[in-house]
Amino acid sequence: MSASSGPNGGGTTTLVVRVENKAGVLARVAGLFARRGFNIESLAVAPTEDERFSRLTIVVGVDAAPMEQVVKQLDKLVNVVEIRELNPSASVERELVMVTVQADPAIRGQILDLVRVFQATVLNVGYDEIMVSLTGSPSRVDDFEDLLRPYGIVDVQRTGKVALPKLVKSAPDPLAP
Amino acid sequence: MNMNGGQALMKALENEGVDLLFGLPGGAILPVYDPLIDSSIRHVLVRHEQGAGHMAEGYAHATGRPGVAMVTSGPAATNIVTPLCDAYMDSIPMVVVTGQVPYAAIGTDAFQECDTTGITMSVTKHNYLVTEAADIPQVIHDAFHIATTGRPGPVLVDIPKDIVDPNNPRSAMEWYTPDSHDLPGYHPNRAGDSELIRQAAKLVCEAERPVIYSGGGILKARAAEALLELAELTGIPVVTTLMNRGGFPDDHPLCLGMPGMHGNYTAVTAMQEADLLIALGARFDDRVTGKVAGFAPLAKIIHVDIDSAELGKVRRPDVAIQGDCRLVIEDLVKALGELGGNESQPDRNRWRSRISGWQERFPLTYEQSKDDELLKPQYVLEQLRDATPDDTIVASGVGQHQMWTSQYWKFNHPYTWVNSGGLGTMGFAIPAAIGAKAGRPDRMVWAVDGDGCFQMTAQELVTAATEGFPIKVALINNAYLGMVRQWQEMFYQERYSEVYLTRDVPDYKLWAEALGCVGLRVESPEEVGPAIDQANEIDDRPVVVEFRCEAGENVYPMVPAGMSNSDVVVDPSQQDRPR
């Protein structure tokens, strides 16, 4: 079972769920989690390369229910085509955050230093606020947000995690049977 | 072939082999009722949409074929939510077609609009909102496939009015016969893993005190014969849960009867003492296990179920096999044969004698009524059982009468017991009996009902009378919501709260006659037999026999809620006997 520490302190597991791209599918998945008492930490939805399907990346609080039940109940939904549990060590995870921070002209430079260090992006600048964004691993996004907090976060929006499995590094031995 | 969506719906239902449709028309479904006139499908006009749903369930229980109901939008759709949930809990194959407001009006709070697919999402195996007339043949084909395969269940198809209305251009379509399913995420598993089945066979051969825990999956998988073969090959005793009464014959020497909260002492205790439970199509329901931590504490578990989510949901099995019960049992019988068949089974004489000892010391029992007392419901059920053909179909409501019927009836044939197990839906008996009679007109069908239940769905007796379904109703009138009364007596210090229904209002005999039935009333034991004989003779209309019963009778044995099955409370007359 793949598990890592989530924002609420408990363990989490990432499920990548391929579903039919039909009206109401998200409601079916969300409804299932609600009525079986499973806890969603974050959820990202987007179409896949094949327009018949969408991919949901769901981070589930594993403390909420036995993970096996979550997967089996999800699998019973007729519109769910495939479920993969992603182990953090065997996958690449990314999350995007947009943050608006208080930034008096006097301290704006300090924030821009952080933006440089994290290779983040400035999206918009106001007379006493600045909007920045960062794409990175969830822990890197956490760090960025923590470092900005003392300046006064006005607004923050995170996308929730998306993930794909890591690729195989060594090519197969052409001489292997 | 050019047609409209309504005609396509009828043709699609005919193609699925539908012969009976239980329903009630209304605004949004109205256009479909026109092509119905020209269809080969018989429509049964119900008096309340809940009745249509339970009739479809009763039909499915009795025949194994999917029951079909059709009702309009809004309040009709909400009225059929209870049967959908009932069918979902008890894995009954059923297809419900609901009308919906025109597609363009959805979301506008139109007259008789409700979010039917949203409301029923959690009580159906799957549901559809059809948006184009051209989708109707494929959706109906897929709906029946989903309802009847894997773990069966209810499927709802919501159809906006405009795509079935011949006066609307959106209903025009070209008919096609679907030759495959458009279900990339649905792969109902069938056979079990052969290595796991070999492991299960080894456990069976090592067990000294095994019990087969057979559930409703046996009946769903048409596995009664396979179960009999397994039990006889191994000599292992069988308990039949409420959902599998009739799935193994009660008159078989290996049958221990019903386990659980009101199961008989031997079935409950044999499971508690077992070293192996072979769970076949059963789901470790709380009414069977009692307190889970104390359930069958010594037993290893083989768990077979078509639904993998049931495996390990309540109790972690030692061998978990996903698959169709019939196929897995047949493979298990083969695997046992390879291990030596009957020769491979250890000597279980000591186990058998312990079981027969419990059966002798703790049979089901009740005290006959004294001279000044009303009838004992158990006596009525014994008389009814003995005076009806062996293959009589019995439907029941929910409560004390349901438990007594399950306890005292002798179910020797599969598909003769129709009841609401998981949801526990009061009022189930009468419409379900009508559905069963509609599906099996050759059989005698009795509904055993309580007075509380009867008042919930009695209007469907009008449907039975006018549509020609001569069911018989044994009304156990004890003037109370009996099961609640029993709990208040046992667990709330006899503080009775809102359970008395009155003895004489309504007048059930007059009510039955007003509904188009023959009404009979029985108050003394000697009248019971003749009244049943009289009812059995009547075949041109429904009959209601009101049996006036003692109010204070309790269902025993009983495992109080939250207690371990080892704490089963037996009939007061047996409480001093050594366990």
Side-chain angles (χ1 to χ4, degrees):
Chain A
M1 198 65 55
S2 61
S4 61
S5 182
N8 293 353
T12 62
T13 294
T14 304
L15 297 178
V16 177
V17 184
R18 197 154 64 99
V19 299
E20 286 185 86
N21 189 5
K22 287 188 171 169
V25 173
L26 186 58
R28 288 180 200 281
V29 172
L32 173 74
F33 273 78
R35 75 173 182 276
R36 296 273 176 192
F38 306 148
N39 187 24
I40 298 180
E41 298 277 354
S42 78
L43 175 65
V45 191
T48 64
E49 66 289 353
D50 182 340
E51 66 183 16
R52 290 175 302 155
F53 303 108
S54 292
R55 182 177 284 120
L56 316 183
T57 308
I58 311 173
V59 180
V60 189
V62 268
D63 294 346
M67 199 58 212
E68 186 185 323
Q69 264 296 302
V70 177
V71 172
K72 284 174 166 180
Q73 294 292 352
L74 259 184
D75 196 41
K76 279 166 70 173
L77 293 179
V78 168
N79 296 130
V80 168
V81 179
E82 189 189 9
I83 304 167
R84 279 189 295 177
E85 284 177 51
L86 283 192
N87 184 327
S89 67
S91 58
V92 178
E93 301 177 331
R94 283 295 175 270
E95 189 171 0
L96 182 145
V97 65
M98 291 167 71
V99 194
T100 298
V101 199
Q102 289 176 7
D104 251 29
I107 56 160
R108 194 185 282 156
Q110 296 178 25
I111 294 169
L112 290 174
D113 278 347
L114 281 174
V115 167
R116 253 191 311 279
V117 169
F118 276 83
Q119 291 180 297
T121 311
V122 176
L123 298 177
N124 208 339
V125 184
Y127 74 95
D128 64 348
E129 291 175 349
I130 185 166
M131 187 196 298
V132 297
S133 86
L134 173 71
T135 303
S137 68
S139 63
R140 203 167 127 83
V141 170
D142 287 345
D143 292 347
F144 187 55
E145 204 184 313
D146 288 346
L147 287 162
L148 287 176
R149 188 163 295 116
Y151 297 99
I153 291 178
V154 177
D155 226 341
V156 62
Q157 177 67 57
R158 291 174 73 147
T159 57
K161 185 163 72 175
V162 294
L164 283 173
K166 276 185 186 164
L167 307 179
V168 177
K169 302 293 187 252
S170 49
D173 181 353
L175 300 176
Chain B
M1 195 195 326
N2 287 318
M3 58 175 67
N4 67 58
Q7 293 169 318
L9 175 60
M10 279 301 132
K11 191 173 166 64
L13 292 174
E14 287 167 7
N15 283 0
E16 297 300 327
V18 176
D19 58 351
L20 271 170
L21 193 52
F22 303 94
L24 193 135
I29 197 69
L30 199 146
V32 180
Y33 272 78
D34 185 72
L36 174 68
I37 296 172
D38 305 318
S39 166
S40 64
I41 298 173
R42 178 181 172 190
H43 182 272
V44 174
L45 179 61
V46 303
R47 265 46 178 181
H48 186 291
E49 292 89 353
Q50 183 189 0
H54 291 322
M55 285 177 207
E57 290 187 85
Y59 175 94
H61 264 286
T63 65
R65 296 195 299 275
V68 188
M70 183 164 77
V71 299
T72 193
S73 62
T78 56
N79 277 344
I80 211 160
V81 169
T82 299
L84 284 169
C85 191
D86 192 276
Y88 189 55
M89 291 285 270
D90 286 348
S91 309
I92 310 299
M94 172 158 86
V95 174
V96 171
V97 176
T98 47
Q100 183 54 278
V101 300
Y103 189 61
I106 289 177
T108 66
D109 304 317
F111 176 65
Q112 291 193 332
E113 183 190 355
C114 74
D115 175 14
T116 303
T117 48
I119 288 170
T120 59
M121 198 171 273
S122 64
V123 295
T124 51
K125 185 171 172 185
H126 193 55
N127 63 17
Y128 290 94
L129 172 61
V130 188
T131 57
E132 307 289 337
D135 293 341
I136 289 174
Q138 185 71 54
V139 166
I140 293 294
H141 190 47
D142 291 347
F144 276 81
H145 179 62
I146 293 169
T148 55
T149 53
R151 180 176 182 170
V155 178
L156 179 135
V157 181
D158 198 26
I159 301 188
K161 183 175 188 177
D162 51 328
I163 67 166
V164 288
D165 180 0
N167 300 317
N168 191 310
R170 289 227 327 128
S171 78
M173 62 161 297
E174 178 88 4
W175 171 262
Y176 59 95
T177 304
D179 52 8
S180 60
H181 294 291
D182 178 22
L183 298 166
Y186 183 68
H187 310 286
N189 192 344
R190 298 282 290 146
D193 180 275
S194 53
E195 174 51 33
L196 291 173
I197 289 171
R198 270 194 294 277
Q199 288 177 25
K202 274 193 203 124
L203 281 187
V204 171
C205 294
E206 289 161 9
E208 289 173 3
R209 302 184 311 280
V211 171
I212 294 174
Y213 162 26
S214 72
I218 293 288
L219 291 172
K220 301 300 175 332
R222 321 303 282 185
E225 279 181 38
L227 173 61
L228 189 64
E229 193 184 351
L230 174 67
E232 291 187 339
L233 172 74
T234 56
I236 298 176
V238 179
V239 302
T240 52
T241 68
L242 183 67
M243 293 310 298
N244 193 38
R245 303 290 290 126
F248 190 78
D250 272 329
D251 63 3
H252 195 284
L254 289 169
C255 191
L256 305 186
M258 181 173 75
M261 180 175 271
H262 292 295
N264 70 74
Y265 182 87
T266 303
V268 171
T269 306
M271 289 172 98
Q272 286 305 93
E273 298 295 319
D275 66 352
L276 176 68
L277 285 186
I278 307 162
L280 304 173
R283 61 180 177 89
F284 295 77
D285 178 78
D286 58 83
R287 285 301 189 264
V288 168
T289 62
K291 186 176 155 193
V292 173
F295 174 65
L298 312 171
K300 288 188 173 173
I301 308 283
I302 297 168
H303 194 174
V304 179
D305 205 288
I306 189 90
D307 179 358
S308 75
E310 292 301 342
L311 305 173
K313 185 180 83 175
V314 175
R315 172 82 173 251
R316 173 69 40 194
D318 296 273
V319 180
I321 303 172
Q322 186 190 6
D324 174 275
C325 257
R326 184 173 62 78
L327 299 179
V328 173
I329 294 171
E330 286 170 0
D331 287 347
L332 182 58
V333 166
K334 274 188 216 135
L336 286 164
E338 284 162 17
L339 293 174
N342 186 259
E343 303 301 307
S344 67
Q345 300 298 301
D347 176 11
R348 298 189 183 117
N349 278 327
R350 215 175 101 73
W351 181 228
R352 267 190 284 277
S353 72
R354 282 180 75 190
I355 288 172
S356 55
W358 294 323
Q359 286 173 321
E360 280 161 28
R361 283 201 300 287
F362 298 102
L364 286 173
T365 185
Y366 65 97
E367 265 184 57
Q368 296 293 345
S369 41
K370 302 181 186 71
D371 283 347
D372 56 341
E373 283 185 330
L374 288 167
L375 299 167
K376 287 299 178 86
Q378 301 95 324
Y379 171 80
V380 172
L381 288 164
E382 285 182 322
Q383 295 292 307
L384 187 60
R385 172 194 70 202
D386 295 341
T388 48
D390 200 36
D391 63 355
T392 298
I393 294 173
V394 189
S396 96
V398 168
Q400 287 184 314
H401 67 279
Q402 175 192 27
M403 292 296 107
W404 284 317
T405 310
S406 179
Q407 289 177 337
Y408 283 89
W409 207 269
K410 292 285 174 234
F411 293 100
N412 292 326
H413 302 278
Y415 313 109
T416 54
W417 171 234
V418 179
N419 94 128
S420 167
L423 194 62
T425 308
M426 287 178 66
F428 180 79
I430 288 172
I434 293 169
K437 184 70 182 173
R440 294 302 306 260
D442 55 316
R443 295 283 189 83
M444 183 179 283
V445 177
W446 273 90
V448 177
D449 219 1
D451 44 335
C453 287
F454 186 89
Q455 293 187 55
M456 290 191 176
T457 50
Q459 81 282 345
E460 295 309 335
L461 286 169
V462 178
T463 307
T466 55
E467 297 270 354
F469 299 122
I471 63 161
K472 304 166 203 312
V473 181
L475 171 57
I476 306 295
N477 177 10
N478 62 3
Y480 275 91
L481 296 167
M483 189 61 93
V484 185
R485 191 210 60 75
Q486 176 172 343
W487 281 53
Q488 289 178 349
E489 178 191 327
M490 294 174 77
F491 310 121
Y492 293 86
Q493 297 79 44
E494 300 180 41
R495 282 162 55 85
Y496 296 113
S497 178
E498 302 299 323
V499 286
Y500 181 57
L501 293 172
T502 79
R503 177 70 71 181
D504 298 307
V505 184
D507 184 319
Y508 292 103
K509 185 171 181 297
L510 287 180
W511 193 9
E513 285 166 5
L515 294 168
C517 310
V518 174
L520 305 171
R521 176 173 295 145
V522 176
E523 289 175 294
S524 66
E526 60 276 10
E527 296 172 308
V528 170
I532 293 168
D533 291 343
Q534 189 183 344
N536 283 343
E537 289 302 311
I538 298 167
D539 207 34
D540 62 343
R541 74 192 75 177
V543 188
V544 175
V545 189
E546 179 200 0
F547 295 97
R548 297 209 150 196
C549 291
E550 272 301 306
E553 199 65 18
N554 288 334
V555 183
Y556 289 109
M558 179 173 191
V559 180
M563 302 284 277
S564 159
N565 282 355
S566 299
D567 301 321
V568 55
V569 178
V570 295
D571 186 86
S573 68
Q574 300 171 335
Q575 280 169 6
D576 297 335
R577 295 181 194 177
R579 295 250 167 141

